[in-house]
Amino acid sequence: MKQTLSILMMALAVTSQAFGQTNSSALSAKSLAERLGYPRDAKLLIVNTDDLGMAHSVDAAAIKGLSTGLVTSGSIMVPCPWFPEIADYARQHPDADLGLHLTLTSEWVHYRWGPVLPRDKVPSLLDPTGYLYLTEDVAAAHIDAREAEAEIRAQIERARSFGIQPTHLDAHMGTLYQNKALFEALLRVSRENRLPIRVSKDWTSRIPFLQSILKPDDVLLDGFITIDSDVPPEKWVNFYTEALKKLQPGVTELGIHLAYDDEEMRNVSFNHPNWGAGWRQRDFDFFTSDTFRRLLQENNIKLITWRELAKLMAKPAN
Amino acid sequence: MKQTLSILMMALAVTSQAFGQTNSSALSAKSLAERLGYPRDAKLLIVNTDDLGMAHSVDAAAIKGLSTGLVTSGSIMVPCPWFPEIADYARQHPDADLGLHLTLTSEWVHYRWGPVLPRDKVPSLLDPTGYLYLTEDVAAAHIDAREAEAEIRAQIERARSFGIQPTHLDAHMGTLYQNKALFEALLRVSRENRLPIRVSKDWTSRIPFLQSILKPDDVLLDGFITIDSDVPPEKWVNFYTEALKKLQPGVTELGIHLAYDDEEMRNVSFNHPNWGAGWRQRDFDFFTSDTFRRLLQENNIKLITWRELAKLMAKPAN
């Protein structure tokens, strides 16, 4: 009897998967580029700068980058001290392509923040000093996914209460991608709010739980590029140049981190060269350069925004 | 009957005052300077820089000022983003004369903070955006003094949990001096923790409720000086020079605000020249100058610390 039930459940699972694949095939007949109204072989790029609101240096460099038109998008950290500054910018630039960089970590040892919800409502999000955890792995090991979901919902609500209409969601330091329960929370919030998230199709091979959670009508990037932490400063331009030359057709997001190498940012990141002040200045220099503009032209790369992807989610798939 | 009761109460009050004055006279036979072991005519000065932890620019300038020996003391804002930076300094400099700048306001529109206690525990402290109020008068008009007291107790506890042993207490933007209930809370916390507070004897004439609350054994400054907001930049040195030349015998606190006129501080205070970046740089320039050092010598002014005053409170008066 036990065995019969088990076989029945397997059969149901297979049937359900088959239906899933049918749906998927029906939709994937059109590529994401085509669904957006571009040719199938178009090379489409979103250039998103992360961490807006984290420091003034970040806000100032990001705003400058967005003003050039070469940086298409940004994502905002709601719990951070300079959030009101970037919220002010967002209100004055309603067409800017700004999403939320959902935040469950506070990574700089001398400059820190807590959650948006009252601390006693989300105790699992707090390290022993009462701030959010310093690193994504320790955070994910301690966080109750229900508290994480409540917190990211509160961050979205708070952003809206400040007049921000987010066009997309992603996750600071990838904390919400660290385990299945956290990613399910992110996906649930993404679907309910009809906001696309940073997930690339090829991640399903290296993040095992993605395949079983994603649905055919989820909007997935064709690729995601961010610079590796082992690229030495003198190879920075080379890394991005090669990445742009090799860019594949479809929709790719380039995740970058703009800020200035100034006193504030140097002291925020004083013990942390990765994603530190020099790193961010190099990103700023490259993504506001004529070199980058020329590479886009030479390689027939068209810049697009998250706002275009969000339109695909504006109504349910059926 | 009512009248009789009223007369009885007045009599009690007068008796109590008389006792108070007797105590006071017994103690005030010695001046504060004498209680500290200095001659009665000594000119003793505490130079306290406020707002530590508020911004990196503030921390860096304050630490530099303290290192010169010309700035004797500082007071720390526990709820602020850079609090961990100054806590780290405090742990490494256990002899530094650091107090707490108890914080119930968040005054810069682009850069803000909330309370230490969970927001749902202190709703009267929060403005409609969930941060502490922008100004001390609006704050005082909304704050429930019991919530204020809980919050300042939590700020003290949090400072201690970060390894800070505060030598004194004062109140950011004077919010805790705005009404009797708030000042009573400050005084209660000061007495229980045996930490002296920023109250000058002459304030009793302009803050009506002080006289009725202060007790004879409270440690009171003989004077408090801070620059007026109507002093133009070119008169800065002149203001402080005159103040030092006219300094009276006894213990005076000079309340100053050090920071650098840099990108961070200019953007923190972008719409607020009073206590803004330029103001703080002028304070830094004067209080780390040879001019200030020479004025101290020429006018026989001795620098002392809050730590010395705290010793007078180390045990009950009797």
Side-chain angles (χ1 to χ4, degrees), chain A residues 56 80-85 88 109-112 115-116 118-121 129-131 158 162 263-264 267-268, chain B residues 56 80-85 88 109-112 115-116 118-121 129-131 158 162 263-264 267-268:
Chain A
H56 172 71
C80 289
W82 286 92
F83 168 67
E85 179 176 58
D88 196 0
V109 298
H110 277 174
Y111 175 69
R112 303 194 67 189
V116 156
R119 286 181 169 83
D120 51 357
K121 291 286 191 293
T129 67
Y131 296 118
R158 183 164 177 75
F162 272 75
E263 275 300 300
E264 180 196 18
N267 282 281
V268 164
Chain B
H56 171 71
C80 288
W82 286 91
F83 168 67
E85 179 177 57
D88 197 0
V109 298
H110 277 175
Y111 175 69
R112 304 194 67 189
V116 156
R119 285 181 168 83
D120 51 357
K121 292 285 190 293
T129 67
Y131 296 117
R158 184 164 176 77
F162 273 74
E263 275 299 300
E264 181 196 17
N267 282 281
V268 164

Side-chain angles (χ1 to χ4, degrees), chain A residues 18 23 27 30 35 53 55 61 66 90 129 142 149 152 154 192 196 217 221 250 267 294 309:
Chain A
N23 272 349
L27 282 167
K30 273 195 173 184
R35 289 170 69 194
L66 290 165
T129 67
H142 287 85
E149 184 165 340
I152 64 176
E192 281 180 30
D217 54 342
L221 297 164
N267 282 281
R294 203 179 57 242
L309 275 67

Side-chain angles (χ1 to χ4, degrees), chain B residues 193-248:
Chain B
N193 285 277
R194 295 184 182 155
L195 291 173
I197 53 172
R198 177 181 290 170
V199 179
S200 175
K201 278 178 182 167
D202 57 321
W203 292 2
T204 53
S205 60
R206 60 182 179 87
I207 308 181
F209 55 78
L210 283 189
Q211 187 71 55
S212 65
I213 309 174
L214 291 169
K215 290 181 185 169
D217 54 343
D218 287 323
V219 172
L220 301 188
L221 297 163
D222 296 301
F224 176 78
I225 298 170
T226 196
I227 198 162
D228 301 326
S229 57
D230 59 1
V231 177
E234 66 276 13
K235 296 282 186 189
W236 219 256
V237 171
N238 186 60
F239 174 91
Y240 286 127
T241 301
E242 290 306 306
L244 292 165
K245 285 183 176 172
K246 291 177 194 161
L247 197 74
Q248 298 297 305

Side-chain angles (χ1 to χ4, degrees), chain A:
Chain A
M1 178 60 191
K2 242 186 180 171
Q3 210 181 3
T4 319
L5 187 65
S6 174
I7 290 168
L8 179 67
M9 285 177 73
M10 277 175 67
L12 280 169
V14 169
T15 313
S16 152
Q17 250 188 14
F19 274 118
Q21 279 169 359
T22 308
N23 272 349
S24 177
S25 305
L27 282 167
S28 68
K30 273 195 173 184
S31 70
L32 179 56
E34 289 170 310
R35 289 170 69 194
L36 293 169
Y38 298 99
R40 193 176 183 92
D41 64 349
K43 291 190 274 184
L44 306 170
L45 186 66
I46 297 170
V47 183
N48 190 89
T49 183
D50 288 354
D51 301 350
L52 277 61
M54 191 257 275
H56 172 71
S57 179
V58 171
D59 288 353
I63 289 169
K64 179 74 181 166
L66 290 165
S67 77
T68 64
L70 292 170
V71 177
T72 64
S73 309
S75 42
I76 296 173
M77 296 173 73
V78 179
C80 289
W82 286 92
F83 168 67
E85 179 176 58
I86 203 69
D88 196 0
Y89 171 83
R91 284 191 300 273
Q92 291 176 41
H93 297 81
D95 295 334
D97 190 46
L98 298 172
L100 301 184
H101 202 49
L102 300 167
T103 302
L104 299 174
T105 45
S106 169
E107 69 271 33
W108 314 108
V109 298
H110 277 174
Y111 175 69
R112 303 194 67 189
W113 50 83
V116 156
L117 284 177
R119 286 181 169 83
D120 51 357
K121 291 286 191 293
V122 285
S124 77
L125 268 52
L126 308 180
D127 78 4
T129 67
Y131 296 118
L132 297 176
Y133 280 98
L134 284 165
T135 60
E136 68 280 21
D137 50 347
V138 179
H142 287 85
I143 288 175
D144 177 328
R146 287 164 301 186
E147 292 180 11
E149 184 165 340
E151 172 64 19
I152 64 176
R153 287 181 188 278
Q155 292 182 11
I156 296 169
E157 190 181 339
R158 183 164 177 75
R160 290 192 169 131
S161 80
F162 272 75
I164 298 168
Q165 300 304 330
T167 59
H168 61 291
L169 302 175
D170 50 42
H172 184 53
M173 298 170 69
T175 308
L176 288 161
Y177 302 86
Q178 294 289 311
N179 63 47
K180 190 176 173 184
L182 289 173
F183 185 72
E184 281 175 329
L186 172 60
L187 207 54
R188 196 157 37 239
V189 169
S190 150
R191 288 167 180 161
E192 281 180 30
N193 285 277
R194 294 182 185 159
L195 292 173
I197 53 172
R198 177 181 290 170
V199 179
S200 174
K201 279 178 182 168
D202 58 321
W203 291 2
T204 53
S205 60
R206 60 182 178 86
I207 308 182
F209 55 76
L210 284 188
Q211 187 70 53
S212 64
I213 309 175
L214 292 169
K215 289 183 187 169
D217 54 342
D218 286 324
V219 171
L220 302 187
L221 297 164
D222 296 302
F224 176 78
I225 299 169
T226 195
I227 200 162
D228 301 324
S229 56
D230 60 1
V231 176
E234 66 275 15
K235 297 282 186 187
W236 218 256
V237 171
N238 186 60
F239 174 91
Y240 286 127
T241 301
E242 290 305 306
L244 292 165
K245 284 183 177 173
K246 291 178 193 161
L247 197 74
Q248 297 298 303
V251 178
T252 302
E253 183 185 13
L254 234 169
I256 66 173
H257 299 85
L258 303 189
Y260 296 122
D261 184 12
D262 60 11
E263 275 300 300
E264 180 196 18
M265 198 62 221
R266 273 196 292 275
N267 282 281
V268 164
S269 62
F270 75 98
N271 65 343
H272 205 296
N274 287 347
W275 297 277
W279 175 304
R280 290 168 192 256
Q281 180 74 52
R282 290 193 293 279
D283 266 8
F284 179 83
D285 292 344
F286 182 80
F287 287 101
T288 57
S289 71
D290 286 338
T291 304
F292 177 48
R293 193 185 294 274
R294 203 179 57 242
L295 280 163
L296 293 175
Q297 289 162 351
E298 289 173 355
N299 295 282
N300 296 312
I301 297 167
K302 179 170 173 53
L303 296 179
I304 64 168
T305 62
W306 276 107
R307 195 185 297 280
E308 298 179 51
L309 275 67
K311 284 181 188 159
L312 299 180
M313 294 178 72
K315 282 186 285 186
N318 282 324

